[in-house]
Amino acid sequence: MFLRTQPLHFIIFNESADTRAKRNQIKEITPRKNEAKRFDIFFSEPKMSSSSSLKTVRQLQVASPVPADIDIANSVEPFHISEIAKDLNLSPKHYDLYGKYKAKVLLSVIDELKGSGDGYYVVVGGITPTPLGEGKSTTTVGLCQALGAFQDKKVVTCLRQPSQGPTFGIKGGAAGGGYSQVIPMDEFNLHLTGDIHAITAANNLLAAAIDTRIFHEATQSDKALMNRLCPPNKEGKRSFNDIMFRRLTKLGISKTSPEDLTPEEVKKFARLDIDPDSITWRRVMDINDRFLRKITIGQGPDEKGMVRETAFDISVASEIMAVLALTTSLADMRERLGKMVIGNSRAGDPVTADDLGVGGALTVLMKDAINPTLMQTLEGTPVLVHAGPFANIAHGNSSIVADKIALKLVGPGGFVVTEAGFGADIGTEKFMNIKCRYSGLTPQCAIIVATIRALKMHGGGPDVVAGKPLNNAYITENVALVEAGCINLAKHISNTKAYGVNVVVAVNKFSTDSEAELNAVRNSALAAGAYDAVICTHHAHGGKGAVDLGIAVQRACENVTQPLKFLYPLDFSIKEKIEAIARSYGASGVEYSEQAEKQIEMYSKQGFSGLPICMAKTQYSFSHNASEKGAPTGFVLPIRDVRASIGAGFIYPLVGTMSTMPGLPTRPCFYDIDLDTTTGRVIGLS
């Protein structure tokens, strides 16, 4: 091996369907001082040989200072999505076009590639964030741009679909940022291919079915209910339809004709006897509307006084979204949707969507949503966007089916990079213990994204508040503050390493960060057991700014030595699993409210204790107290309530108060969003 002393060149093709013959664009990387070896290992001399090298990638022309995200996104004309599909060896039979820049990839791809090998599987988490976020999505995209456009690797980015709530609210979009984005940015952040709308429709159909059933049961006899549920055909004969046999089986009734049921069996079959106080299913919409956090329904004159209090959640908090993210096939989704529990009967038995007869209809509404959406990054690398479950009451990860498709498409030696919501204590923990359990997939590398800003906050810096200027402590050098805050990073590294994966720390560099501060983070990360720690500038430079991260991730994947380890076995009791997670936070114990104790006893009695745990707590601290920074220990974790998403497949304890319907701030993001009526372009998205 020799050391390179000259800039390294390799071939990148900026191609479209009309210019595939023009293969002469060169990108240049000049190795940093003392780092020639790192580049020499992974990059070969320029050559034009195998078809695997022919990629639809784009050379970015970056500007400084970095323009607004939407301006960058609008400055690039995306490749036709068929070109992105072609690079993944997808033929037109494998996808349905949604305009020029999006396509739904069909699940049949998994079956066709069943015998082929998987690529490397990488999850991106983060340290405990500030309210401003530390750039996990941007890092995920930037890394994939580096792997695909600079390191000649097959790569697919797997991301959640953003909700319109934060897009129009306070947070803005979730397409990445700067020169590491998914495009078209406006389509990514708005309707996309309608999956969230399908979830909204399915969720609200089930909500309507619940109240309608209660209404009709309250006004009809058992016989009348049975006659209407199983009406006679033209020959005067009554029969059960397919979904009714699911309820009959659940009730232990083996008879196949309605006429054969005894009066007692008719009552059991026809009357769900839902306890209104036990209903957990709410209506949803994909907008932040604080005035729907508590509502009263049934006030119309025709509802016969059947008034009850309920609420709206935001659509991404629907259990149907969690089902979409965790399903492994269309048949599996059908079963999960049917098993969703909406409440209990007055006798204490769980009532499901299939009991209401609506599981099949929900599946019909979701039949297209199960297919992930293919998009692209600014540099032309492929992206699969699918599902967007809440990262608090759900597991906050994109879908299993997208990951499975992507791993087959990139093949051995390729990379699939997916992001886990919130800090690694929540998102990565749920990725490992819930998502990987249901998928059977094993990650080789976990990235932890950090910033000097967040580490200074954990070291004792002033509060970071969204919408307010940063305190001077965050824009001037203070190595001691950074080093003190690295206790948070070290805790995340330790927790993540325990799953058997190699951990790479990605430090998102800001212009105000000093070399001394960055070196302090790198040294602390390596001392805490990280496989590597890399300074990244992908926000300002695109994939070129994440090449070192790509090299570190490739090495980490190639050198993993341990099997995947879960934090707890499923045969633990509900409390034992909760307490295992609490210990990983640093808690010395767990305190259960009377309501939590009651719910745990009920779920155990109903046979749901074997499900994994999806802890719902603040993302701003390892503890339940958002103001506790660093890595607190010795605290007692309070469990306020325990709820269940049976169809999705997890129990979720509530630590503190979790809002499932965000509110709009005084100045929402929608103030800046408009349409240029001359060009038709969206402006103001962030």
Side-chain angles (χ1 to χ4, degrees):
M1 187 180 297
F2 62 94
L3 298 180
R4 295 192 186 278
T5 58
Q6 298 297 321
L8 175 73
H9 300 77
F10 61 102
I11 302 295
I12 297 288
F13 304 117
N14 185 7
E15 301 176 321
S16 68
D18 299 323
T19 61
R20 193 165 287 278
K22 298 178 181 179
R23 299 167 181 166
N24 58 359
Q25 289 193 352
I26 306 293
K27 280 194 176 180
E28 178 180 285
I29 299 176
T30 304
R32 297 205 309 255
K33 184 179 180 182
N34 299 325
E35 293 198 349
K37 280 186 177 182
R38 297 182 76 171
F39 286 99
D40 192 48
I41 291 171
F42 291 94
F43 298 135
S44 60
E45 294 295 333
K47 57 185 177 181
M48 297 171 59
S49 57
S50 68
S51 60
S52 64
S53 296
L54 305 182
K55 295 193 173 186
T56 305
V57 294
R58 177 185 296 105
Q59 186 172 15
L60 293 176
Q61 300 297 322
V62 303
S64 182
V66 178
D69 290 351
I70 188 66
D71 293 335
I72 294 173
N74 283 341
S75 71
V76 174
E77 179 67 24
F79 294 110
H80 195 284
I81 200 64
S82 62
E83 293 297 299
I84 304 299
K86 191 179 297 181
D87 281 343
L88 290 171
N89 295 321
L90 289 169
S91 72
K93 72 175 184 178
H94 294 132
Y95 58 86
D96 292 331
L97 289 173
Y98 279 65
K100 294 186 291 184
Y101 307 129
K102 305 185 300 292
K104 280 281 196 178
V105 180
L106 306 179
L107 297 194
S108 57
V109 172
I110 298 177
D111 296 328
E112 288 193 27
L113 297 176
K114 192 172 184 179
S116 59
D118 288 350
Y120 293 120
Y121 194 29
V122 180
V123 60
V124 179
I127 63 170
T128 306
T130 69
L132 305 179
E134 312 319 309
K136 291 195 308 297
S137 298
T138 307
T139 299
T140 303
V141 175
L143 168 61
C144 291
Q145 291 181 167
L147 289 166
F150 284 86
Q151 291 173 243
D152 201 29
K153 301 294 180 185
K154 273 203 166 183
V155 63
V156 174
T157 312
C158 289
L159 293 174
R160 287 184 293 168
Q161 179 183 348
S163 164
Q164 288 180 176
T167 297
F168 291 117
I170 194 169
K171 184 179 178 182
Y179 288 100
S180 295
Q181 293 188 57
V182 179
I183 56 173
M185 176 198 178
D186 56 337
E187 295 182 27
F188 178 87
N189 284 310
L190 298 175
H191 302 288
L192 200 62
T193 48
D195 293 356
I196 293 181
H197 300 318
I199 287 162
T200 303
N203 183 101
N204 293 343
L205 175 61
L206 179 51
I210 295 166
D211 290 301
T212 297
R213 187 58 174 262
I214 294 173
F215 171 82
H216 287 303
E217 286 191 19
T219 57
Q220 298 180 48
S221 66
D222 296 344
K223 182 179 179 180
L225 281 170
M226 189 69 184
N227 288 342
R228 286 176 172 84
L229 288 170
C230 301
N233 60 17
K234 291 180 180 179
E235 288 75 36
K237 293 185 178 180
R238 301 179 185 276
S239 62
F240 296 117
N241 67 4
D242 289 344
I243 201 169
M244 291 177 175
F245 284 109
R246 292 173 181 251
R247 175 157 177 78
L248 290 166
T249 299
K250 176 181 175 180
L251 295 172
I253 299 173
S254 59
K255 297 173 182 176
T256 58
S257 173
E259 279 86 357
D260 294 337
L261 267 60
T262 65
E264 291 76 17
E265 290 171 336
V266 166
K267 184 181 182 68
K268 287 173 64 178
F269 171 78
R271 193 167 294 281
L272 302 182
D273 199 25
I274 298 169
D275 179 358
D277 292 335
S278 75
I279 296 173
T280 55
W281 198 264
R282 296 174 169 183
R283 289 158 175 83
V284 300
M285 63 187 301
D286 196 33
I287 294 293
N288 291 359
D289 192 342
R290 64 177 71 245
F291 285 92
L292 294 179
R293 290 171 176 170
K294 189 173 184 179
I295 63 169
T296 302
I297 61 171
Q299 298 190 75
D302 296 328
E303 275 59 67
K304 304 184 187 302
M306 297 187 63
V307 176
R308 72 177 181 91
E309 286 187 351
T310 181
F312 271 77
D313 293 334
I314 196 163
S315 295
V316 290
S318 170
E319 184 179 350
I320 296 177
M321 176 64 88
V323 166
L324 178 65
L326 289 171
T327 195
T328 56
S329 67
L330 190 60
D332 180 61
M333 184 173 74
R334 170 63 186 89
E335 293 304 309
R336 287 176 181 271
L337 291 173
K339 290 192 297 185
M340 293 187 304
V341 173
I342 59 87
N344 298 323
S345 69
R346 295 182 191 277
D349 298 319
V351 178
T352 68
D354 272 348
D355 287 330
L356 286 156
V358 74
L362 302 182
T363 309
V364 170
L365 287 171
M366 294 293 294
K367 70 180 179 63
D368 295 321
I370 195 173
N371 299 313
T373 302
L374 180 65
M375 297 187 75
Q376 62 191 282
T377 67
L378 283 169
E379 295 188 65
T381 59
V383 181
L384 285 178
V385 185
H386 203 211
F390 230 52
N392 267 336
I393 65 166
H395 65 296
N397 282 258
S398 61
S399 77
I400 287 173
V401 293
D403 290 359
K404 287 196 166 194
I405 289 172
L407 286 163
K408 295 298 183 187
L409 291 176
V410 300
F415 292 83
V416 171
V417 184
T418 187
E419 177 196 346
F422 289 166
D425 57 317
I426 303 178
T428 303
E429 183 269 311
K430 294 174 182 179
F431 172 86
M432 300 292 184
N433 291 305
I434 299 176
K435 184 176 179 180
C436 288
R437 264 199 167 101
Y438 284 122
S439 71
L441 300 174
T442 299
Q444 288 77 40
C445 175
I447 296 170
I448 297 177
V449 177
T451 61
I452 297 296
R453 176 182 66 199
L455 291 169
K456 284 182 174 179
M457 179 190 70
H458 288 294
D463 288 342
V464 176
V465 181
K468 291 186 178 180
L470 283 172
N471 185 281
N472 193 54
Y474 295 104
I475 56 177
T476 57
E477 182 177 281
N478 190 328
V479 176
L481 201 59
V482 173
E483 289 177 336
C486 281
I487 189 173
N488 183 270
L489 173 60
K491 177 66 171 171
H492 283 295
I493 292 171
S494 174
N495 280 3
T496 307
K497 278 188 67 178
Y499 294 109
V501 297
N502 283 332
V503 175
V504 174
V505 174
V507 185
N508 281 342
K509 182 181 178 181
F510 294 179
S511 60
T512 53
D513 299 340
S514 73
E515 287 299 314
E517 290 172 330
L518 294 168
N519 286 334
V521 179
R522 189 169 192 276
N523 292 336
S524 295
L526 295 175
Y531 184 86
D532 205 347
V534 182
I535 312 304
C536 304
T537 62
H538 44 269
H539 182 273
H541 302 123
K544 185 175 180 178
V547 169
D548 283 354
L549 178 60
I551 292 168
V553 166
Q554 182 175 345
R555 285 176 166 164
C557 288
E558 292 173 343
N559 290 284
V560 68
T561 59
Q562 299 182 62
L564 177 62
K565 304 170 186 174
F566 297 120
L567 189 58
Y568 52 80
L570 289 180
D571 58 5
F572 268 21
S573 68
I574 292 175
K575 282 189 174 182
E576 287 174 323
K577 285 180 278 199
I578 291 172
E579 287 154 17
I581 297 172
R583 285 193 297 272
S584 77
Y585 299 153
S588 60
V590 177
E591 183 178 70
Y592 301 92
S593 71
E594 183 178 342
Q595 174 66 12
E597 293 276 11
K598 177 183 174 183
Q599 293 297 104
I600 290 171
E601 181 180 359
M602 181 186 70
Y603 291 137
S604 299
K605 181 181 178 182
Q606 292 176 341
F608 301 138
S609 61
L611 295 174
I613 298 297
C614 186
M615 200 77 84
K617 79 168 185 70
T618 178
Q619 68 269 38
Y620 295 122
S621 174
F622 273 109
S623 76
H624 56 286
N625 184 351
S627 65
E628 289 288 327
K629 304 305 180 185
T633 59
F635 56 91
V636 175
L637 195 73
I639 304 299
R640 178 175 63 86
D641 198 359
V642 178
R643 298 177 188 170
S645 291
I646 302 304
F650 53 75
I651 304 288
Y652 61 100
L654 300 178
V655 183
T657 301
M658 292 292 125
S659 175
T660 52
M661 172 54 83
L664 291 171
T666 304
R667 190 189 186 285
C669 292
F670 61 61
Y671 270 83
D672 301 312
I673 299 171
D674 211 326
L675 190 73
D676 184 327
T677 56
T678 302
T679 65
R681 289 187 180 275
V682 174
I683 57 177
L685 272 176
S686 61

